[in-house]
Structures are given as structure tokens and as C-alpha cells.
Amino acid sequence: MDGGTGRCLCGAVRYAFGGAPDWQVHCHCESCRRATAAPFTSFLGVARESFRWTGAAPATYASSPGVTRSFCPACGTQMAYQTEARPEGIDLYAATLDDPAAYRPTGHVHWNEHLAWLRLADGLPVHHTPRRLTGGEDMEPILNLVREAFAYMDGIVDPPSSAHRLTAADLAARARDGEVWVIDELGVPLACMVLTPEPGRLSIGKLAVAAGHRRKGLARQLLDHAAARARALGLPLLEMRSRVELTGNHAAFAAMGFARSGETAHPGYDRPTSVTFERAV
């Protein structure tokens, strides 16, 4: 698609834009679903400087802080979405295109909010939005996820993994004093991580992905979110640690842009037991 035009149901509100869209995705977030009364919404993002309204001016509605939705005041068709977080762009509803067949979606976003009865088999990648826990939730499912994900270390690492000593109360305290993030789907946790701000760095711990959901990019999505949190906190580095025996993890960290930066020893050990990895943000 190289530029395009679109209109509302009654044809009063029209638009035009130039150039190829920046992205094209299906959104499953609750606010978009409620705004359109549809199970999901199909968007294309275009540069604000290449976009113009060519018909009647749309009406606008501030649907959430920093978000404005444009719609036709006559027929009610939802036309566009704008957020203060991305002032350089405007998101258009793909079904309003004069030629909606030109739309080429590349994935699903906010998949963690999709409706349970929705069944899709388009083969497109799905992207989840991590959710921050407050510490007031039931932490047992998160604890079980961590323990299951770390169980393979038993008999391999010395000393044994700290996951054995971790409790639901510990996770709740880390959520209150630091940050605990989870990717879940229909209420079931699929992946999690603990973030601890430290001087000059954001430390990542207990990064875990549930069996059956590995190799789907969930760990990478969490690490990308950790990088965004580090930038928001003004911290220039991400830091992770791995046991010296887990060379497979070391290779995975390197593939995700982390570099080995040092070694540490657990109390009572006269040899390195952990390797530290860092990544600039």
C-alpha cells in the first residue's frame, strides 16, 4: 500500500494519506473493542505529516488519558486513534479504507486481552502487553510458573536455585518494593520477570516462561519491556545473572544483545558461581 483514502459510512468524513503505513496490526485491547463494538480492531499507522482530513471535520472523544478517538458525528463511524505517546503518527481503522483489501496485517497486539471465544488461525504472530502486579494479587500461580521453569536446574547448578526458597509472600514484597511483570492469557500466567532498580542499572530476575509457550518470543517481549522501563527510570543498563553451568542460557542472552560483564560467587564458595550479563538501553 502506497498511500490511500478512506471514508465513514455516510461519506461525510473523509481522509487521505501518502506513503506506506508504518505498521498494520489487529488490536485486541478492551478499549478498542468497546469503542467499535467488535471482537478486535484492525489498524494501520501512518505519518501525521502525510495525513489530512478531506471531508467534514470529525468529532473527537478522549477515551483515556492522552488518547483521542475521531469519529463521524453524523453516522458514528470510528475513523482514527491518536495518542500523546506517538504524536508523530495517527492510526486509522483499516475497514474505513476505500480499498480495505489493500490492508496487509502483520500481527496481533494486546493478545492477552483477546476474547476467550475468539478463534483465529491466520498464522500471524501475537504480541502480548505485560501487566504489572501490585502485590495484592494471588501470587501462587506466578510462584508455580517460576518453580516449574527453573526445575530443570536441579542437579545441574551448585548451589541449588533460589527458586526453591522463593515464596508467594516474597513475590508480593518484590511487587511492592520493585516491579513484577507478567504476560498472561485468559487469566493464566505464561511468562514473568522481576525488575529491581539499582544504581546505574535495572536488574532482571526470575525470567520464566511456561512450558508449551517457549520459543514464541515471550521472553524477548518481556526483555523489550524491561528496556522500556529502564529508559523510563533513567537507567542506562539492563543486567541479568545466570549460573556458570547454564551455558545454553549464556548463548541465549548473547543472542538477545547481552554481553558478559563479570562473575560472582555465592557465600561460602571459593569459585565463581554466577555470570553477569549487561545490555545498554
Side-chain angles (χ1 to χ4, degrees):
M1 187 190 307
D2 187 11
T5 58
R7 63 177 177 82
C8 65
L9 176 63
C10 72
V13 177
R14 295 178 175 271
Y15 63 78
F17 65 91
D22 296 326
W23 49 263
Q24 303 176 69
V25 296
H26 301 304
C27 179
H28 294 262
C29 79
E30 181 182 3
S31 61
C32 283
R33 287 193 277 109
R34 291 195 177 278
T36 58
F40 62 92
T41 302
S42 300
F43 278 119
L44 61 149
V46 303
R48 189 68 183 84
E49 64 182 9
S50 74
F51 173 86
R52 68 185 187 281
W53 298 108
T54 58
T60 59
Y61 170 62
S63 59
S64 54
V67 170
T68 300
R69 296 178 188 269
S70 301
F71 62 96
C72 174
C75 65
T77 301
Q78 291 284 333
M79 302 295 294
Y81 171 105
Q82 289 180 271
T83 172
E84 293 177 358
R86 291 183 285 108
E88 73 286 352
I90 183 168
D91 305 341
L92 306 174
Y93 292 87
T96 66
L97 287 166
D98 286 328
D99 181 17
Y103 178 68
R104 294 290 184 270
T106 60
H108 296 270
V109 298
H110 299 292
W111 181 251
N112 46 296
E113 298 184 52
H114 82 278
L115 294 169
W117 47 260
L118 185 66
R119 297 289 184 270
L120 299 173
D122 56 15
L124 294 175
V126 299
H127 300 274
H128 299 74
T129 302
R131 179 170 62 91
R132 184 175 179 177
L133 303 182
T134 65
E137 303 87 351
D138 179 8
M139 290 294 188
E140 286 295 334
I142 310 300
L143 177 62
N144 292 336
L145 168 61
V146 171
R147 286 179 173 171
E148 184 271 335
F150 280 61
Y152 79 97
M153 299 182 187
D154 292 347
I156 298 176
V157 302
D158 180 35
S161 168
S162 61
H164 290 291
R165 302 188 303 275
L166 190 67
T167 67
D170 292 333
L171 285 170
R174 295 190 188 191
R176 290 190 296 268
D177 300 336
E179 300 183 9
V180 175
W181 292 86
V182 62
I183 287 177
D184 50 14
E185 190 170 303
L186 305 178
V188 178
L190 307 183
C192 67
M193 67 178 175
V194 175
L195 300 181
T196 304
E198 297 177 355
R201 68 197 63 240
L202 183 62
S203 178
I204 304 169
K206 298 300 181 283
L207 178 64
V209 179
H213 295 277
R214 293 164 191 162
R215 300 187 181 279
K216 295 182 179 180
L218 297 182
R220 190 176 293 273
Q221 289 179 40
L222 281 176
L223 291 176
D224 287 346
H225 187 71
R229 289 297 303 142
R231 288 190 292 269
L233 294 169
L235 300 173
L237 292 174
L238 293 179
E239 181 181 86
M240 288 201 295
R241 294 184 177 89
S242 177
R243 295 301 187 85
V244 296
E245 299 93 342
L246 304 179
T247 55
N249 283 3
H250 305 173
F253 293 170
M256 290 186 286
F258 285 81
R260 187 171 180 142
S261 62
E263 296 178 341
T264 57
H266 283 74
Y269 285 76
D270 59 1
R271 60 169 178 83
T273 55
S274 293
V275 180
T276 303
F277 293 83
E278 293 181 347
R279 189 178 92 183
V281 298

